[in-house]
Amino acid sequence: MVVVMACCGARAQSTLEKVRAAGELRCGIDVAEAEYSMSDDHGNREAFDGDLCRAVAAAVLGPSARVVIARYPDDATSVHGLGSGEVEMVATLTDDLSHAAGTGIRFTRPVLWDGVGFLVLGSKPALRTRQLAGKPICFLAESGVEESVQAWFAHEHLHLAAYPFSEEGEMDAAFTTGNCGALAEDRTRLAQTRERMAEHSRKTTLLPETISKDPLASATREDDVQWSAIVSWVMEALVQAEESGVTRANVEAMQKSGNFTNGEPVLRRLLGGSHEIGARLGLSDDWVVRVMETTGNYGEIYERDLGSKSAMKLPRGENNLRERGGLMVALPVK
């Protein structure tokens, strides 16, 4: 469908104005339905994505902001929903060349690093990925996972005993019965598989290595620079808040104490004491405080929705702060 926009007349309403006028944020979530698209290998991260949506809504509309979630089965329908104006943002989309170039989409920096890993039956914490050489590796055929597995084994000069499947249910059954030496999928999907196995008292081990890089980032339409900047800086603020020790539990006390006004400059800006980070985005000076009161910082969101406090219990790994060995580091708030 081609949308023709008028060239003249009144100024078009900005996305920020539309969201405020409606009193709600429409946010897309890719629920990654199994087998809907062979190009989408990530697991369902609905709780994590929902918190990212709420964080943006809180920054724009306040802590009691209304969020309308649109659930899409895969990346392609998410992109269409964003481009057609059904939603103002998509919480996480695969951030790569095919999604970023010529699509009319603008991405934030990665908010979730995913990648292909391996799940094995039994409790074998000492098992490393290199020890899978010659063992049947199960994966979905003609998928990004297959490409990553083949490339990694070739690069490591290891024998790959490929065991491809065209249907995920058959692959899971083969894994459960011990016919797979390991199951290869993106780690978010493996965490879900591990959760299902635990429900049936099947002990599994998620190996520590990740053999590919599959970053996910929040996405907006590139035709509204201000709105894209708002979404991007909300994500930066979530990470910076964790770096600075600002949490859902302490943000109110930190702001009320006023001690930050003469202290660390980043903290002063985050909590609105410098009056520097609101006007540039068209937001209030305390928008980060609103976000913290609603969702907490990045680490709180991750642990609650994907990590140690969730059923998935996915280790943070690359999603940890840089100072703790991960890839998450915020751009300077100044």
Side-chain angles (χ1 to χ4, degrees):
M1 179 179 68
V2 177
V3 179
V4 179
M5 301 183 68
C7 67
C8 308
R11 178 183 66 84
Q13 217 178 9
S14 71
T15 306
L16 177 60
E17 290 169 335
K18 289 178 182 177
V19 170
R20 283 179 168 161
E24 64 183 28
L25 172 68
R26 299 174 302 166
C27 191
I29 290 179
D30 177 358
V31 297
E33 289 183 6
E35 298 175 40
Y36 191 88
S37 169
M38 296 296 281
S39 65
D40 292 332
D41 307 313
H42 305 287
N44 188 320
R45 58 270 179 196
E46 190 167 352
F48 179 82
D49 283 14
D51 270 337
L52 298 186
C53 297
R54 283 184 280 277
V56 174
V60 174
L61 299 171
S64 59
R66 173 176 164 79
V67 179
V68 177
I69 299 294
R71 293 172 173 81
Y72 298 106
D74 67 349
D75 274 10
T77 50
S78 300
V79 169
H80 179 268
L82 180 61
S84 66
E86 292 176 357
V87 292
E88 282 82 45
M89 64 174 286
V90 175
T92 57
L93 278 176
T94 302
D95 186 4
D96 57 20
L97 182 64
S98 62
H99 287 88
T103 59
I105 291 176
R106 186 184 297 269
F107 283 98
T108 67
R109 294 203 300 164
V111 294
L112 181 64
W113 286 92
D114 204 358
V116 174
F118 297 91
L119 190 70
V120 297
L121 276 177
S123 180
K124 300 178 180 178
L127 189 63
R128 310 293 293 189
T129 303
R130 291 187 61 83
Q131 293 174 268
L132 296 176
K135 299 179 183 295
I137 308 299
C138 296
F139 50 79
L140 288 177
E142 300 179 4
S143 66
V145 170
E146 178 177 15
E147 182 180 78
S148 295
V149 169
Q150 290 178 339
W152 186 83
F153 273 82
H155 181 268
E156 297 296 317
H157 305 290
L158 298 174
H159 171 58
L160 170 62
Y163 198 170
F165 288 83
S166 59
E167 199 273 325
E168 189 166 32
E170 293 179 355
M171 181 177 69
D172 286 350
F175 177 70
T176 303
T177 55
N179 290 315
C180 302
L183 183 63
E185 289 182 308
D186 271 351
R187 289 172 66 84
T188 49
R189 190 174 291 278
L190 289 177
Q192 288 182 286
T193 301
R194 181 175 60 175
E195 181 184 348
R196 291 198 308 271
M197 295 291 175
E199 293 172 357
H200 296 90
S201 301
R202 302 289 295 182
K203 180 67 177 179
T204 58
T205 300
L206 181 60
L207 301 189
E209 295 94 345
T210 304
I211 66 167
S212 69
K213 54 183 180 182
D214 294 297
L216 294 155
S218 296
T220 55
R221 292 182 296 276
E222 65 180 11
D223 59 1
D224 191 329
V225 175
Q226 180 194 26
W227 180 252
S228 294
I230 289 171
V231 174
S232 182
W233 280 100
V234 169
M235 303 308 151
E236 298 291 345
L238 290 172
V239 177
Q240 182 61 63
E242 184 180 10
E243 290 180 358
S244 298
V246 182
T247 69
R248 198 175 188 177
N250 68 21
V251 64
E252 183 179 4
M254 291 179 75
Q255 188 188 37
K256 285 183 177 179
S257 71
N259 292 334
F260 64 85
T261 56
N262 296 316
E264 205 271 316
V266 173
L267 193 59
R268 184 170 67 251
R269 297 183 189 110
L270 275 183
L271 300 182
S274 67
H275 307 291
E276 294 178 46
I277 67 169
R280 291 176 183 272
L281 296 171
L283 304 178
S284 65
D285 288 325
D286 66 345
W287 66 265
V288 177
V289 176
R290 295 179 177 185
V291 172
M292 289 300 104
E293 291 172 342
T294 303
T295 65
N297 63 42
Y298 179 83
E300 291 177 282
I301 292 173
Y302 186 96
E303 296 298 350
R304 179 171 64 241
D305 298 333
L306 298 173
S308 60
K309 296 180 181 179
S310 76
M312 292 175 70
K313 301 200 181 317
L314 186 64
R316 282 191 71 173
E318 294 170 321
N319 295 298
N320 218 327
L321 297 179
R322 182 179 65 176
E323 63 199 54
R324 298 172 192 161
L327 298 176
M328 304 303 294
V329 56
L331 291 174
V333 182
K334 62 181 182 180

